[in-house]
Amino acid sequence: MGIVVLTMKASVIEMFLVLLVTGIHSNKETTKKIKRPKFTVPPINCDVKAGKIVHPEFIVKCPAGCQDPKYHVYGTSVYASSSSVCAAAVHSGVLDNSGGKVLVQKVAGQSGYRGSYSNGVQSLSLPRWRESFVVSEGKPQKGVTYPSALTYSSAKSPAAIADETTKASQKPSVPGTTAQPGTLMQVAGTTSAEGSHTTLPKPSPSAGSATSSPRPQPAGHRSQQLDPWPTASYTSSQNSPRANPGRGSGAAIQKPAGRWWDTDTWKPGSVLLDAGFVPNEETSTQPLDPVSQGDPNCRVDLAFLIDGSASIGGRRFRIQKQFLADIAQALDVGPAGPLVGVVQYGDNPATQFNLKTHMNSQDLKAAIEKITQRGGLSNVGRAISFVTKSFFSKANGNRGGAPNVAVVLVDGWPTDTVEEASRLARESGINIFFITVEGAGEHEKPYVMEPNFASKAVCRTNGFYSLSVPSWFSLHKSAQPLVKRVCDAGRLACSKTCLNSADVGFVVDGSSSVGTANFRTVLQFVANLSREFEISDTDTRVGAVQYTYEQRLEFGFDAYRTKPDVLSAIRRVGYWSGGTSTGAAINYALERLFKESKPNKRKLMVLITDGRSYDDIRIPAMAAHLKGVITYAVGIAWAAQDELDVIASHPARDHAFFVDEFDSLYTLVPKVIRNICAEFNSRPRN
């Protein structure tokens, strides 16, 4: 019996082994017959951001030309997912501007991204972001499957998605298919729409003829025109369906339900996909584009003075707002770059918003859209005075170190005078640009209150600060030229004022006739003059020399960089006592003090003495004048007026001062400062 059982067990084992071997052989044959599908690298456009693609790892093919600065990159080596994939690849050196394949791998978000310039691409800094990615050469890695068709997160608003879902539910279903709301599969090489920007449509000939039709001129002012374009026909940059390639997004950004930094720890997209979930706009790995810190190459404080008068009409006023929106988009507004405020003028000026109200271009454009027309006259001079006195203040966001620029737009001509108001603005360091749209024709010139008003208003009359636009319909063409000009800090000549652009050297008589008490009075006079200047290493700098028979450098221009430090240094100067060699002191100041003056600084020497010099002062004074040193001579008590006149620059009446006693020195402070500024502002404006 046992032998039978053993024989049966052996037969069963033998049959099992035969079946196993047969199955393995059959499986090998089947494997040989099945061919793996060939991987196709999907192409993308230069503007596709890594955060818009839901895959945690993928290979794409970039086109040529992604080095263009309009494709933003954030970070260095590790990039925020809001960056352009292809531009990041160029920045990292994986690709050149001719394009090619690149491998993208998602990684966790960083607490900060450092900007840098590399391979022709300027990447920007970013404080933090939720998701990052790295790029490398586009070679597939073993054991990794890469998608041939990319899945994009939805760029549509929730309302649009809901509308599409409703429409889809009304269509008859196809047997054997299952609807998957929220999944957006795109054909390789296509990208989701990211908003559009639209300029005004070109007017028809009939509309153009309305612009050139003669206008009556009551009381020297243009009458209001009828508005042939109804308000509804004007499409803003945020609502227009037309696209303008190469410009930033004009679409409104959906605000997420919570702060992005309050979300859970970053997880790769594969976890979401394995769960059968595809992120939509609210839950995307890139919920919002990062807020730019602004273009650091255009760090200006910019005020637009827009014409809200009745003569401009509703149509032109809307074109003017669109022009401002175009400027806002081109400027890249932010705390590290340009800041923009708007003043609207009519009978009286009013601030629409100041420099610190909006810290990015998107918010600025939205605020511009909300501006409503005030009406009234075109009192430009009053508006410029308002900006000079009130707008460029610390309370309104003025940063001090950034150039102040005011751009005036006027329809036709002002209804008041601008010359005096503009002069005060220039003296305050404001660079005035003037855009005249549809200026006065020959038959309209008798109504212009102030001929050549633009040349009287601008910072310089060299053509750089003036733009004459023949028609409101061509105003948009001036946007880019204007942006280039206001961002060219090297040519903003009126940023330099009489108080922030000089090297001021004090040459102080420390002879025995002065005495200790009077010497302290002289130092107080020097301190009072110094207080009037804007002192820093880039603004006005101050140095001092004391002399008797000998000379001593108390401190040079590079010694102190703040006003408090300069004032403290003046207080610490000790009285020397001795003879009076003024000529030798001038030579010493030229060699030891003004030799270190910067080429772009005005050289001002303020010499203070109480008596006649023991040596010749004529040759040293002439040497100072020939070297471009503007010399102010201050005499006290026994000082010789004839010597003061020789030492002082021409004309002596504006550069030489005298008081009978030391205690009267304080009365000269406003006179000296006034004459310093008058000399500065008398230079030709061309």
Side-chain angles (χ1 to χ4, degrees):
M1 185 68 179
I3 295 174
V4 173
V5 171
L6 289 173
T7 304
M8 291 178 64
K9 287 183 177 179
S11 300
V12 170
I13 292 172
E14 184 179 354
M15 290 177 64
F16 176 76
L17 291 173
V18 170
L19 290 172
L20 181 62
V21 171
T22 304
I24 292 173
H25 179 73
S26 175
N27 186 53
K28 287 183 177 180
E29 292 295 326
T30 306
T31 304
K32 288 180 181 179
K33 293 178 182 179
I34 298 174
K35 293 184 178 180
R36 292 184 179 179
K38 186 178 180 181
F39 169 60
T40 303
V41 178
I44 62 172
N45 293 335
C46 294
D47 59 353
V48 173
K49 301 170 184 176
K52 292 292 184 182
I53 301 174
V54 301
H55 306 286
E57 186 171 342
F58 53 91
I59 297 177
V60 291
K61 185 175 182 181
C62 292
C66 295
Q67 199 178 55
D68 195 300
K70 67 184 177 183
Y71 306 121
H72 290 180
V73 178
Y74 301 90
T76 301
S77 299
V78 178
Y79 303 97
S81 62
S82 55
S83 304
S84 159
V85 171
C86 298
V90 176
H91 180 270
S92 67
V94 173
L95 300 179
D96 56 25
N97 201 37
S98 62
K101 298 177 183 178
V102 58
L103 171 61
V104 180
Q105 295 170 304
K106 301 279 187 71
V107 295
Q110 305 289 308
S111 59
Y113 298 85
R114 179 178 57 85
S116 64
Y117 183 82
S118 178
N119 301 310
V121 175
Q122 175 67 58
S123 69
L124 305 175
S125 298
L126 193 65
R128 62 174 74 181
W129 198 244
R130 181 180 176 182
E131 183 187 58
S132 309
F133 70 98
V134 294
V135 292
S136 57
E137 189 178 354
K139 291 183 177 180
Q141 299 181 4
K142 291 183 179 180
V144 180
T145 302
Y146 299 99
S148 294
L150 300 176
T151 304
Y152 293 84
S153 61
S154 174
K156 297 181 181 180
S157 66
I161 294 172
D163 182 63
E164 289 187 1
T165 305
T166 303
K167 291 180 179 179
S169 65
Q170 295 174 352
K171 294 181 180 179
S173 60
V174 179
T177 62
T178 304
Q180 294 180 350
T183 303
L184 176 63
M185 292 296 294
Q186 295 189 342
V187 179
T190 63
T191 58
S192 58
E194 295 186 19
S196 61
H197 174 83
T198 303
T199 57
L200 285 171
K202 293 183 178 180
S204 64
S206 59
S209 62
T211 312
S212 60
S213 60
R215 286 171 276 188
Q217 312 296 332
H221 186 54
R222 287 183 172 175
S223 61
Q224 182 175 0
Q225 286 192 327
L226 294 176
D227 190 354
W229 286 2
T231 303
S233 67
Y234 175 78
T235 53
S236 72
S237 60
Q238 295 181 353
N239 300 323
S240 172
R242 294 177 57 193
N244 187 359
R247 300 298 297 270
S249 172
I253 299 175
Q254 296 293 329
K255 189 175 182 180
R259 295 188 180 97
W260 55 266
W261 56 83
D262 293 335
T263 56
D264 295 334
T265 306
W266 178 88
K267 299 177 182 179
S270 58
V271 176
L272 300 175
L273 292 174
D274 290 343
F277 176 79
V278 178
N280 59 21
E281 187 175 36
E282 260 79 19
T283 55
S284 170
T285 52
Q286 187 226 359
L288 286 175
D289 284 347
V291 176
S292 171
Q293 295 299 301
D295 181 2
N297 297 318
C298 184
R299 192 172 184 271
V300 296
D301 291 342
L302 178 58
F304 278 95
L305 282 64
I306 63 172
D307 192 338
S309 63
S311 68
I312 192 174
R315 172 187 56 181
R316 295 192 186 102
F317 190 76
R318 289 191 296 273
I319 296 174
Q320 186 176 216
K321 291 202 303 180
Q322 181 60 49
F323 176 72
L324 292 189
D326 291 344
I327 294 290
Q329 184 66 45
L331 277 175
D332 189 12
V333 172
L339 295 180
V340 178
V342 173
V343 172
Q344 183 183 170
Y345 65 87
D347 291 336
N348 295 294
T351 300
Q352 301 294 315
F353 47 84
N354 62 33
L355 295 168
K356 65 181 182 180
T357 308
H358 303 293
M359 287 293 169
N360 61 74
S361 295
Q362 194 70 26
D363 291 347
L364 179 61
K365 288 169 63 179
I368 290 169
E369 180 63 27
K370 295 176 182 177
I371 297 175
T372 57
Q373 188 175 358
R374 293 174 59 85
L377 300 175
S378 295
N379 288 333
V380 176
R382 189 174 295 178
I384 294 174
S385 294
F386 171 80
V387 167
T388 303
K389 295 175 183 177
S390 306
F391 187 84
F392 288 111
S393 65
K394 187 175 182 180
N396 286 337
N398 187 40
R399 291 172 288 183
N404 292 161
V405 178
V407 179
V408 182
L409 288 98
V410 63
D411 175 46
W413 58 87
T415 53
D416 63 350
T417 58
V418 302
E419 184 172 13
E420 180 61 18
S422 300
R423 182 185 66 80
L424 294 174
R426 290 192 298 272
E427 291 178 2
S428 300
I430 300 174
N431 296 271
I432 297 181
F433 287 78
F434 220 92
I435 302 178
T436 306
V437 188
E438 297 183 12
E442 288 299 323
H443 66 287
E444 296 173 317
K445 286 183 179 179
Y447 300 100
V448 178
M449 181 175 294
E450 188 178 33
N452 302 318
F453 56 86
S455 62
K456 296 176 181 177
V458 293
C459 173
R460 293 288 185 270
T461 57
N462 55 10
F464 183 75
Y465 296 87
S466 302
L467 289 169
S468 182
V469 181
S471 168
W472 281 96
F473 299 115
S474 58
L475 178 61
H476 65 279
K477 297 178 182 178
S478 302
Q480 287 298 333
L482 179 64
V483 168
K484 290 180 180 179
R485 295 185 192 190
V486 300
C487 291
D488 191 352
R491 296 191 65 180
L492 297 179
C494 286
S495 298
K496 297 179 180 180
T497 70
C498 57
L499 301 177
N500 70 3
S501 59
D503 282 338
V504 182
F506 291 97
V507 182
V508 181
D509 185 348
S511 61
S512 302
S513 60
V514 175
T516 303
N518 287 334
F519 187 75
R520 306 315 303 176
T521 303
V522 170
L523 292 183
Q524 186 60 54
F525 172 70
V526 171
N528 289 343
L529 282 174
S530 299
R531 282 193 184 94
E532 298 295 322
F533 293 94
E534 299 173 22
I535 296 174
S536 76
D537 57 337
T538 58
D539 294 312
T540 290
R541 303 184 303 169
V542 175
V545 167
Q546 183 182 176
Y547 73 95
T548 57
Y549 281 130
E550 299 178 293
Q551 307 83 33
R552 182 170 72 194
L553 180 66
E554 299 294 352
F555 55 90
F557 293 133
D558 289 326
Y560 304 105
R561 299 187 175 186
T562 67
K563 188 178 295 186
D565 288 346
V566 167
L567 297 178
S568 296
I570 292 170
R571 286 194 296 268
R572 292 195 300 269
V573 174
Y575 176 49
W576 205 358
S577 185
T580 308
S581 295
T582 304
I586 294 173
N587 281 330
Y588 180 86
L590 293 177
E591 289 299 319
R592 292 294 306 278
L593 187 59
F594 286 99
K595 194 173 183 179
E596 303 302 322
S597 183
K598 293 182 178 180
N600 62 337
K601 299 286 187 182
R602 288 186 309 136
K603 302 174 181 65
L604 304 182
M605 180 191 296
V606 180
L607 186 143
I608 307 164
T609 182
D610 79 326
R612 184 176 289 276
S613 176
Y614 293 174
D615 62 354
D616 178 66
I617 51 90
R618 295 182 181 275
I619 295 177
M622 184 179 297
H625 301 160
L626 291 175
K627 290 183 178 181
V629 178
I630 303 167
T631 307
Y632 294 85
V634 178
I636 313 156
W638 302 280
Q641 185 65 53
D642 60 326
E643 287 190 349
L644 297 178
D645 290 345
V646 171
I647 294 169
S649 295
H650 180 78
R653 65 177 181 276
D654 295 330
H655 297 82
F657 305 87
F658 180 84
V659 289
D660 292 325
E661 53 189 20
F662 286 90
D663 289 342
S664 298
L665 272 174
Y666 76 93
T667 63
L668 294 181
V669 173
K671 297 178 182 178
V672 173
I673 294 297
R674 184 170 59 247
N675 285 17
I676 287 174
C677 288
E679 182 275 330
F680 176 85
N681 294 316
S682 65
R683 296 177 302 170
R685 292 195 303 115
N686 51 31

